[in-house]
């Protein structure tokens, strides 16, 4: 009552409170259960602590004279896992029965005891078998009959390669915009892309396509989701808390996920390899740092994957996910390695160690046979660049030759398809900014020099090993090279700090097809067919003018797509063509026949497009005219009111009150000059 | 033709306005000067001196007798256009953001900023009653507590004021009762400028949300939207063509690079019916704060953050140009 008295000061509590005190003759007839059900529920039960009990079998059967000693020994062994609160030694005719019960403080301690003391060899005759007490119940209840697991329905996700069947061969691409709020899939078209799917909050960070374009992976706090099929249904989920990086195997059978959160000593969870088809976790790995993602590099066929750690190269086998031949390769000082994208060949290099020169080694897997070893001197750094088919390997070697100042760069070109893998060297006098192989050819492009004097050079590797400089351009505004996936064409781009300068080059005759600019561009993405290329300004790198522009491979600008806080555009990869080399040859021969059909189709759609635009404008104009006519009508009706407001002076037209004007003629000399009104 | 550059201000231009005939152009800026220019050659007719703070707004009545200015010195002043004499000083408790004469030239309105603990007011004075001026007592004052007025124009016939707000709302305030007659919200961010067409049937709003929109003055029906990728500071409707001109650019505060390319400080011409951009005029090296068409539609002017006013006469092919339809 005391409290209610205090509250009486408050005007809201002025009315008198009813008394809650018991009357004199009150008899308490409520059960504890009813009144304190929440507390009673926690009342200790007999079975409590049963989880902390272990049963130890194969304990020596001893009489009372040796019991004390045995107890000491057993206690010593089992108290390592926690304090033993209770023990029970069943006796039979004065000797122990050979099994005992031990109770720990907590179930975790009991489990620890099972894990570590099971199989403990006390002596030759006695090996302990330790089980959690509750397990006995569990095993007792298991039926002796084999139960066939229930067959799961086959889930049909429809045609997973539906997009390939588009009659106009439109390629898909994903776009993330509104700073990640929205994700859309478009089918690319020269005129205007067609929306295939658009969803809000589809991903929490970014998306990734699988290497053959079958799946779209989205990132979530709790894991990865894969989407695919005609309607982009969810195909699979991989629960990995805090996942931040993923990598698909080239065969699309496995996905590797990385999370910086959940690693524990016993249970490696930093990196998990999943089976995409079943959704099962195949294996977990520890990982200290994700700085060099992907940590596991896959062989081109997805049969092997490898990881480099201090002085070791570990190669694992799929689908067992075990170490190849059960042991890692010891390679002292290994700095970097890379799989050939065409064969099961692994290339790695080790730096100089006192008198031993630096070494680039090519090994065949799984035989581990060394195909080629190349020794190099005075090496500062090496970079491995494979041509996409694995026909060539270029090792970019930075060296400081004796007696010279500064670093020189050599390109060591390995011709993989020839006997004994011959190596040729191209010496570069200047610093290298970028290097890139033609994906399916024998050319490579190099950007070299110092800003602002940057040169681009194009080389051709001939069959006889001669490496020809085809052409060099000086004073380039570029820091990146983007080859068309079909080769021959490339874009030299000056991304970010170079303001987005673009040069479209045809390397067959080394001509600059076009020089253009996408101001502040941060990314360049070729479509998988090499017909189109997209340049974009991502909100992740630059906060204004976020847009992606579509160009033809010749550098003709087709579309400017401004999207609010646009983040990322990714083309959906295509699976490898099913056509053989012969069939492709035939198609190339008959190209004239096909091009006629396509040109006609283009003309048709173009005239349709311009007609659509004209129709749209006409409709807008008609609507606007209609509105204006109505507005002018009202205006005319109000003329009287206007005249009244302005004292009878008609001001409707500029010269309608011409009689009030005073005329004055002033002449000026005017120097005439024509300025264009921007691009009309 | 080469633009005429008017160099009469030391700070960024806040508003420019032609008189009805278009022979005069008034400009105000963040310095304290009010300038009047001959629009034909850019010669300065004179200045109106008296303000002691940034001048936010200027208007001239239909017969070019009086000029009205509002300033951050917490005053709205009425001037004799020809002599430059100050006719009235109306003191307020916060900065005057926008001002205007009604169709008859008898009623003036001005709005004050929400500032220093004062809220935004829309004030109405009848100039025919000298007592109102003398007592500094408007015949009506409308409080706008929700979102302050950032730009306003009179509707046709002086029945109401069309005001754009900081929230992006556009309201019609009756000049008789002060009540809100109509209320729309088509913009998502602050309205920077409102201008009427020459016949007052339409108004165009320029907004920080990167768009300008055309509305019917009476019904406030939305007619057209013109999209850019920068905040729009000002927009004007051509008196003779189906064109609108828009000025804007990266906000001065947000310009991080010195390149004028990234700021997009160009005047942009859109077709009013098709909502398509068809031309741009470069020149300013800062955002454009205000644009205005000459009443004859043959030239237009722009005032920028760079402190310059530029008068541009159109080339002949501007008048012949047509988009295919």
């Amino acid at each position: 009552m005391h409290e209610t008295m205090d509250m009486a000061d408050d005007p809201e509590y002025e009315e008198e409170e009813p008394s809650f005190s018991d009357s004199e003759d009150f008899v308490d007839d409520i059960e504890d259960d009813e009144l304190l059900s929440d507390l009673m529920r926690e009342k200790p039960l007999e079975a409590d602590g049963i989880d902390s009990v272990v049963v130890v079998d194969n304990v020596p059967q001893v009489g009372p004279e040796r019991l004390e000693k045995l107890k000491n020994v057993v206690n010593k062994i089992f108290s390592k896992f926690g304090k033993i609160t209770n023990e029970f030694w069943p006796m039979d005719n004065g000797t122990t029965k050979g099994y005992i019960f031990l109770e720990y403080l907590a179930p975790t301690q009991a489990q620890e005891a099972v894990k570590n003391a099971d199989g403990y060899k006390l002596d030759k005759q006695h090996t302990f078998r330790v089980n959690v007490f509750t397990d006995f119940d569990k095993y007792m209840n298991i039926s002796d009959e084999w139960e066939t697991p229930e067959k799961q329905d086959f889930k049909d996700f429809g045609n997973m390669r539906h997009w390939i069947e588009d009659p106009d061969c439109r390629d898909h691409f994903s776009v993330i915009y509104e700073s990640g709020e929205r994700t859309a899939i478009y089918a690319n078209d020269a005129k205007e892309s067609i929306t295939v799917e658009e969803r809000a909050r589809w991903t929490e960070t970014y998306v990734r396509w699988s290497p053959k374009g079958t799946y779209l992976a989205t990132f979530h706090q709790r894991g990865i989701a894969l989407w695919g099929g005609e309607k982009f249904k969810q195909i699979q989920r991989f629960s990995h808390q805090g996942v931040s990086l993923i990598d698909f195997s080239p065969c699309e059978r496995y996905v590797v996920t990385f999370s910086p959160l959940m690693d524990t000593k016993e249970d490696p969870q930093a990196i998990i390899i999943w089976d995409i088809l079943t959704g099962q976790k195949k294996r977990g790995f520890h990982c200290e740092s994700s700085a060099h993602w992907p940590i596991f590099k896959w062989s081109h066929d997805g049969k092997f994957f490898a990881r480099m750690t201090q002085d070791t190269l570990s190669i694992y086998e799929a689908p067992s996910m075990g170490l190849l031949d059960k042991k890692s390769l010891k390679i002292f000082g290994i700095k970097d390695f890379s799989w050939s994208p065409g064969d099961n060949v692994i290339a790695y290099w080790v730096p100089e160690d006192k008198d031993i020169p630096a070494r680039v080694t090519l090994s065949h897997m799984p035989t581990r046979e060394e195909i080629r070893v190349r020794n190099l001197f005075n090496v500062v750094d090496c970079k491995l660049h494979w041509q996409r088919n694995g026909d060539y390997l270029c090792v970019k070697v930075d060296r400081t030759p004796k007696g010279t100042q500064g670093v020189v760069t050599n390109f060591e070109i390995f011709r993989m398809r020839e006997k004994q893998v011959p190596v040729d060297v191209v010496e570069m006098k200047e610093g290298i900014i970028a290097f890139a192989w033609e994906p399916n050819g024998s050319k490579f492009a190099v950007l070299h020099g110092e800003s602002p004097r940057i040169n681009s050079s194009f080389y051709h590797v001939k069959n006889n090993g001669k490496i020809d400089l085809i052409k060099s351009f000086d004073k380039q505004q570029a820091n990146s090279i983007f080859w068309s996936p079909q080769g021959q064409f490339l874009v030299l781009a000056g991304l970010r700090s170079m303001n987005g300068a673009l040069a479209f080059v045809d390397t067959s005759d080394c001509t600059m097809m076009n020089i253009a600019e996408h101001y502040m561009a941060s990314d360049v993405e070729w479509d998988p067919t090499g017909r189109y290329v997209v340049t974009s300004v991502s909100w992740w790198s630059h906060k204004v003018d976020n847009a992606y522009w579509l160009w033809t491979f010749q550098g003709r600008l087709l579309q400017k797509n401004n999207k609010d806080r646009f983040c990322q555009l990714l083309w959906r990869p295509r699976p490898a063509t099913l056509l053989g080399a012969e069939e492709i040859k035939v198609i190339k021969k008959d190209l004239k026949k096909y091009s006629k059909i396509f040109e006609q189709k283009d003309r048709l759609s173009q005239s349709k497009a311009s007609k659509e635009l004209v129709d749209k404008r006409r409709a807008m104009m008609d609507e606007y005219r209609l509105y204006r006519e109505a507005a002018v009508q009202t205006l005319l009706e109000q003329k009287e009111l206007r005249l009244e407001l302005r004292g009878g002076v008609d001001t409707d037209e500029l010269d309608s009150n011409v009689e009030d004007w005073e005329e004055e003629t002033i002449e000026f000399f005017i120097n005439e000059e024509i300025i264009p009104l921007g691009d009309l | 033709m080469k633009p005429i550059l008017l160099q009469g201000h030391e700070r960024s231009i806040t508003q420019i306005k032609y008189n009805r005939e278009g022979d005069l152009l008034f400009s105000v800026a963040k310095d304290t000067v009010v300038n009047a220019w001959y629009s034909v050659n850019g010669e300065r007719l004179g200045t109106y001196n008296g303000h002691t703070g940034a001048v936010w707004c200027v208007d001239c009545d239909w017969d070019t007798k009086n000029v009205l200015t509002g300033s951050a010195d917490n005053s709205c002043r009425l001037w004799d256009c020809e002599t430059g004499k100050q006719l009235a000083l109306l003191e307020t408790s916060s900065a005057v953001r926008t001002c205007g004469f009604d169709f008859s030239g008898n009623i003036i309105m001005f709005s004050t900023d929400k500032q220093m603990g004062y809220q935004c007011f829309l004030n109405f004075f009848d100039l025919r009653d000298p007592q109102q001026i003398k007592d500094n007592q408007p015949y009506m004052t409308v409080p706008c507590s929700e979102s302050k007025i950032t730009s306003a124009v009179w509707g046709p016939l002086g029945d109401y004021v069309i005001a754009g707000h900081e929230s992006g709302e556009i309201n019609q305030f009756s000049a008789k009762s002060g009540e809100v007659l109509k209320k729309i919200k088509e913009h998502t961010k602050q309205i920077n400028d409102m201008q009427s067409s020459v016949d007052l049937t339409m108004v165009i709003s320029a907004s920080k949300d990167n768009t300008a929109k055309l509305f019917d003055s009476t019904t406030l029906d939305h007619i057209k939207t013109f999209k850019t990728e920068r905040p729009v500071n000002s927009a004007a409707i051509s008196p003779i063509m189906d064109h609108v001109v828009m000025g804007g650019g990266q906000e001065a505060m947000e310009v991080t690079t010195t390149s004028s390319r990234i700021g997009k400080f160009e005047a942009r011409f859109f077709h009013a019916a098709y909502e398509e951009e068809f031309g741009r005029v470069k020149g300013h090296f800062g955002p454009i704060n205000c644009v205005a068409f000459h009443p004859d539609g043959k030239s237009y002017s722009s005032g920028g953050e760079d402190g310059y006013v530029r008068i541009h006469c159109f080339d002949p092919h501007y008048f012949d140009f047509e988009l295919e339809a």
Side-chain angles (χ1 to χ4, degrees):
Chain A
M1 281 308 283
H2 221 263
E3 274 187 46
T4 48
M5 290 297 282
D6 288 345
M7 282 179 185
D9 292 342
D10 195 320
E12 276 185 43
Y13 291 91
E14 255 172 57
E15 51 188 292
E16 205 179 315
E17 286 281 326
S19 168
F20 293 108
S21 307
D22 292 336
S23 56
E24 297 276 311
D25 55 347
F26 177 77
V27 183
D28 195 342
D29 59 351
I30 305 170
E31 295 276 320
D32 273 359
D33 252 358
E34 201 175 325
L35 200 63
L36 304 163
S37 62
D38 49 340
L39 285 177
M40 293 306 285
R41 228 178 284 139
E42 289 168 25
K43 187 178 164 184
L45 296 171
E46 203 178 352
D48 275 357
I50 200 163
D51 290 336
S52 314
V53 178
V54 294
V55 183
V56 186
D57 283 298
N58 293 344
V59 183
Q61 292 176 336
V62 294
E65 65 286 357
R66 291 173 59 204
L67 183 59
E68 206 50 42
K69 203 177 168 198
L70 180 64
K71 274 189 178 178
N72 280 339
V73 172
V74 168
N75 257 319
K76 208 172 166 189
I77 296 165
F78 283 92
S79 55
K80 273 190 285 191
F81 315 111
K83 194 180 172 215
I84 296 164
T85 56
N86 211 343
E87 54 188 291
F88 177 56
W89 297 72
M91 304 292 273
D92 190 21
N93 299 328
T95 58
T96 57
K97 273 190 165 177
Y99 55 89
I100 57 167
F101 300 88
L102 302 173
E103 186 179 348
Y104 284 98
L105 262 177
T108 49
Q109 291 166 352
Q111 269 150 26
E112 198 73 2
V114 171
K115 217 165 164 184
N116 293 294
D118 186 33
Y120 183 90
K121 264 194 167 163
L122 188 69
D123 53 39
K124 268 197 184 141
Q125 281 88 41
H126 297 99
T127 305
F128 287 162
R129 299 310 315 249
V130 187
N131 285 293
V132 183
F133 182 75
T134 46
D135 276 357
F136 280 83
D137 267 354
K138 203 166 81 189
Y139 295 134
M140 293 291 281
N141 290 339
I142 288 174
S143 150
D144 290 338
E145 296 278 307
W146 158 255
E147 273 176 52
T148 16
E150 205 176 312
K151 200 173 176 185
Q152 292 197 2
D153 282 340
F154 171 69
K155 276 190 229 151
D156 188 5
F157 294 107
N159 184 356
M160 297 295 281
R161 292 191 170 170
H162 175 264
W163 89 102
I164 303 284
E165 290 174 359
D166 184 86
D168 294 312
C169 302
R170 291 190 185 99
D171 276 294
H172 280 185
F173 57 90
S174 65
V175 173
I176 301 177
Y177 59 105
E178 286 180 12
S179 67
E181 272 292 293
R182 298 194 79 83
T183 304
I185 313 286
Y186 296 104
N188 177 43
D189 191 282
K191 277 183 301 182
E192 197 180 358
S193 50
I194 301 153
T195 311
V196 180
E197 195 69 46
E198 190 186 332
R199 291 179 201 174
R201 288 176 290 280
W202 200 348
T203 177
E204 284 170 29
T205 47
Y206 59 105
V207 299
R208 280 283 305 272
W209 290 101
S210 63
K212 293 178 182 178
T214 316
Y215 310 105
L216 177 77
T218 55
F219 289 71
H220 309 272
Q221 182 55 37
R222 291 168 52 198
I224 297 289
L226 296 188
W227 311 78
E230 200 178 332
K231 293 269 177 276
F232 284 95
K233 283 198 191 114
Q234 196 179 81
I235 308 280
Q236 202 59 265
R237 274 187 317 187
F238 307 108
S239 164
H240 197 183
Q241 197 75 24
V243 61
S244 62
L245 294 163
I246 66 166
D247 184 39
F248 285 94
S249 72
C251 56
E252 282 191 346
R253 183 65 206 267
Y254 307 104
V255 63
V256 187
T257 59
F258 169 79
S259 163
L261 294 183
M262 309 202 342
D263 219 9
T264 50
K265 275 224 172 78
E266 293 80 40
D267 188 18
Q269 298 249 5
I271 295 178
I272 299 177
I273 300 184
W274 308 85
D275 187 319
I276 290 178
L277 294 180
T278 63
Q280 268 170 347
K281 176 178 166 180
K282 297 292 280 189
R283 190 170 170 179
F285 290 92
H286 287 299
C287 179
E288 284 78 43
S289 142
S290 63
H292 299 284
W293 189 258
I295 288 180
F296 286 104
K297 295 180 188 172
W298 288 89
S299 67
H300 74 107
D301 54 4
K303 287 210 172 95
F304 305 100
F305 55 102
R307 167 192 204 171
M308 186 182 78
T309 43
Q310 181 87 41
D311 298 330
T312 18
L313 181 62
S314 310
I315 297 160
Y316 299 84
E317 257 178 316
S320 73
M321 305 293 153
L323 262 177
L324 180 66
D325 300 340
K326 299 212 168 63
K327 60 173 187 277
S328 300
L329 271 84
K330 277 280 168 214
I331 303 164
F332 285 99
I334 182 169
K335 287 279 271 190
D336 195 15
F337 77 98
S338 175
W339 285 95
S340 160
D343 310 271
N344 281 340
V345 170
I346 212 163
Y348 59 86
W349 79 279
V350 287
E352 258 157 302
D353 183 24
K354 286 173 201 139
D355 297 336
I356 308 161
R359 202 155 29 89
V360 175
T361 311
L362 297 174
S363 285
H364 189 269
M365 289 298 151
T367 61
R368 307 192 178 196
E369 173 202 346
E370 288 188 355
I371 309 169
R372 187 73 162 88
V373 178
R374 180 141 173 103
N375 292 330
L376 300 161
F377 300 90
N378 309 33
V379 172
V380 182
D381 192 23
C382 282
K383 285 270 176 312
L384 308 166
H385 299 274
W386 285 97
Q387 187 247 24
R388 196 183 61 190
N389 296 345
D391 297 344
Y392 304 98
L393 167 69
C394 169
V395 182
K396 174 180 160 268
V397 188
D398 293 333
R399 298 169 53 221
T400 47
K402 285 205 177 91
T404 55
Q405 294 273 315
V407 177
V408 294
T409 302
N410 283 358
F411 292 129
E412 310 265 334
I413 311 282
F414 293 66
R415 275 176 287 148
M416 301 298 296
R417 298 283 173 247
E418 283 169 56
K419 262 189 197 148
Q420 287 166 346
V421 190
V423 181
D424 301 284
V425 182
V426 183
E427 231 182 82
M428 303 297 289
K429 297 269 185 300
E430 294 174 306
I432 306 299
I433 295 159
F435 171 96
W437 279 105
E438 182 179 17
N440 55 357
S442 50
K443 291 194 278 258
F444 61 86
V446 186
L447 287 172
H448 51 98
E450 292 293 327
S451 185
R453 244 191 294 275
I454 294 171
N455 305 308
S456 60
S457 297
F458 304 98
Y459 291 87
H460 182 220
V461 183
K462 290 192 168 167
N463 284 339
N464 57 10
K466 249 184 96 184
I467 297 166
D468 280 352
L469 173 66
I470 322 172
K471 182 103 181 175
S472 243
F473 295 104
D474 58 357
K475 291 195 197 97
Q476 297 286 295
Q477 280 263 1
N479 51 21
S480 320
I481 303 164
F482 298 93
W483 280 93
S484 154
Q486 301 299 323
Q488 186 178 349
F489 304 102
L490 61 84
V491 176
L492 300 174
L495 298 181
R496 287 174 286 266
S497 57
M498 282 185 159
N499 291 349
L502 304 167
F504 295 81
V505 184
D506 178 354
T507 58
S508 65
D509 51 0
C510 279
T511 47
M512 288 267 179
M513 296 181 293
N514 195 21
I515 308 277
E517 185 193 72
H518 184 177
Y519 193 61
M520 293 316 275
S522 55
D523 300 276
V524 174
E525 296 280 347
W526 280 92
D527 88 321
T529 61
R531 293 176 294 175
Y532 303 100
V533 61
V534 163
T535 59
S536 56
V537 181
S538 165
W539 186 78
W540 291 335
S541 65
H542 197 69
K543 296 294 176 217
V544 290
D545 289 327
N546 302 124
Y548 62 92
W549 293 3
L550 183 73
W551 311 73
T552 66
F553 68 96
Q554 299 118 320
R556 188 159 57 86
L557 183 60
L558 295 174
Q559 293 168 20
K560 290 183 181 181
N561 294 292
N562 292 316
K563 278 239 178 274
D564 184 27
R565 284 164 291 152
F566 160 84
C567 298
Q568 185 200 36
L569 181 146
L570 288 177
W571 289 95
R572 185 177 200 170
R574 280 170 175 257
T577 177
L578 298 174
L579 297 172
E582 272 308 305
E583 289 160 297
I584 291 175
K585 218 175 193 175
V586 172
I587 291 171
K588 276 189 175 166
K589 212 180 92 199
D590 296 340
L591 203 62
K592 279 239 167 68
K593 192 176 82 192
Y594 295 115
S595 70
K596 241 182 215 152
I597 304 169
F598 286 127
E599 268 164 29
Q600 203 175 9
K601 212 169 160 183
D602 281 353
R603 263 201 302 277
L604 205 74
S605 81
Q606 218 151 38
S607 69
K608 201 175 131 206
S610 62
K611 192 178 171 297
E612 268 170 20
L613 179 69
V614 167
D615 284 351
K616 185 180 143 217
R617 281 180 178 165
R618 211 166 272 163
M620 288 178 98
M621 186 49 116
D622 288 346
E623 194 189 345
Y624 184 67
R625 286 262 169 275
L626 216 64
Y627 161 73
R628 286 305 298 158
E629 273 164 30
V632 168
Q633 189 60 39
T634 338
L635 187 71
L636 289 175
E637 282 163 16
Q638 292 170 341
K639 184 160 181 121
E640 284 303 313
L641 291 168
R642 277 199 298 279
L643 282 173
E644 197 184 312
L645 281 170
R646 285 190 174 169
V649 183
D650 184 358
T651 53
D652 279 2
E653 301 294 331
L654 258 188
D655 49 3
S656 50
N657 60 337
V658 81
E659 58 273 16
D660 299 342
W661 288 15
E662 289 168 37
E663 202 156 303
E664 204 178 327
T665 311
I666 312 165
E667 280 185 27
F668 307 101
F669 171 73
I670 294 159
N671 181 24
E672 195 177 272
E673 214 179 89
I674 292 170
I675 52 158
L677 200 76
D679 38 352
L680 292 180
Chain B
M1 203 176 96
K2 196 176 167 178
I4 304 170
L5 210 61
L6 309 183
Q7 305 183 42
H9 292 284
E10 288 172 349
R11 296 278 319 269
S12 46
I13 311 294
T14 50
Q15 195 170 31
I16 56 172
K17 213 164 252 181
Y18 284 95
N19 64 344
R20 187 180 58 82
E21 285 94 345
D23 57 332
L24 296 183
L25 176 67
F26 300 93
S27 65
V28 290
K30 284 186 186 167
D31 54 26
T32 57
V33 188
V34 181
N35 280 313
W37 314 82
Y38 285 113
S39 65
V40 69
N41 62 351
E43 193 186 319
R44 184 152 69 175
L45 173 67
T47 57
Y48 303 91
N49 301 324
H51 277 299
T52 55
V55 188
W56 288 120
C57 53
V58 62
D59 196 28
C60 174
D61 61 1
W62 68 277
D63 51 2
T64 322
K65 281 202 178 96
N66 296 332
V67 174
L68 187 67
T69 55
S71 160
D73 66 3
N74 296 356
S75 75
C76 185
R77 296 175 200 233
L78 187 69
W79 314 84
D80 182 90
C81 179
E82 197 176 341
T83 62
K85 204 178 132 212
Q86 183 176 304
L87 300 176
L89 168 64
L90 304 166
E91 286 185 325
T92 57
S93 28
S94 58
V96 178
R97 179 60 54 174
T98 177
C99 66
F101 289 100
D102 82 332
F103 189 77
S104 67
N106 294 328
I107 314 254
I108 59 163
M109 65 85 187
F110 63 85
S111 77
T112 58
D113 271 358
K114 185 175 179 172
Q115 208 176 41
M116 299 179 290
Y118 295 97
Q119 61 169 325
C120 166
F121 287 103
L122 181 60
N123 295 315
F124 292 89
F125 284 85
D126 192 332
L127 297 179
R128 291 166 296 193
D129 177 6
Q131 201 59 38
Q132 287 182 14
I133 306 278
K134 212 172 144 193
D135 302 347
N136 194 11
Q137 198 57 54
Y139 76 81
M140 185 168 68
T141 180
V142 185
C144 307
S145 51
E146 281 171 33
S147 173
K148 76 164 188 183
I149 295 173
T150 46
S151 185
V153 286
W154 278 93
L157 306 174
D159 292 335
Y160 47 82
V161 166
I162 306 164
H165 294 255
E166 199 174 20
S167 61
E169 267 179 31
I170 297 176
N171 290 336
Q172 270 181 3
F173 290 96
S174 163
K176 304 212 163 50
S177 63
E179 66 179 318
V180 176
L181 302 172
K182 283 210 166 62
K183 190 181 199 129
I184 55 164
K185 187 159 183 209
E186 294 280 342
H187 285 290
T188 55
K189 286 183 185 165
Q190 176 178 315
I191 299 203
N192 286 325
D193 187 33
M194 304 275 303
Q195 291 195 35
S196 318
S197 63
V198 75
D199 60 9
L200 306 180
T201 54
M202 299 187 286
V203 286
I204 190 162
S205 58
S207 166
K208 207 176 162 182
D209 70 4
N210 299 2
T211 64
K213 293 190 182 206
L214 200 60
F215 299 95
D216 183 84
S217 304
T218 319
T219 61
L220 285 191
D221 285 342
H222 170 245
I223 305 166
K224 295 285 173 190
T225 299
F226 310 99
K227 286 185 195 143
T228 74
E229 45 311 322
R230 288 287 180 280
V232 187
N233 291 338
S234 182
I237 309 163
S238 166
I240 55 166
M241 311 287 280
D242 290 326
H243 296 166
V244 298
V245 63
M246 290 152 65
Q250 195 82 335
E251 267 185 81
M253 275 162 65
E254 287 166 20
V255 175
T256 48
T257 59
T258 47
S259 170
S260 64
R261 242 186 330 175
I262 194 152
K264 307 227 162 138
F265 311 130
E266 294 146 327
R268 306 167 73 149
F269 284 78
F270 279 73
H271 194 282
Y274 309 144
E275 303 178 340
E276 283 175 58
E277 184 180 345
F278 65 89
R280 287 186 192 189
V281 178
K282 288 179 193 161
H284 285 286
F285 46 86
I288 294 176
N289 287 342
C290 46
V291 288
F293 267 107
H294 190 286
D296 69 5
K298 290 172 185 160
S299 67
Y300 87 97
S301 299
S302 54
E305 189 72 21
D306 57 10
Y308 293 115
V309 176
R310 301 166 73 95
I311 304 177
H312 304 256
C313 287
F314 294 115
D315 294 317
H317 77 263
Y318 165 81
F319 302 100
D320 307 331
F321 174 75
E322 270 295 334
L323 285 163
E324 189 194 344

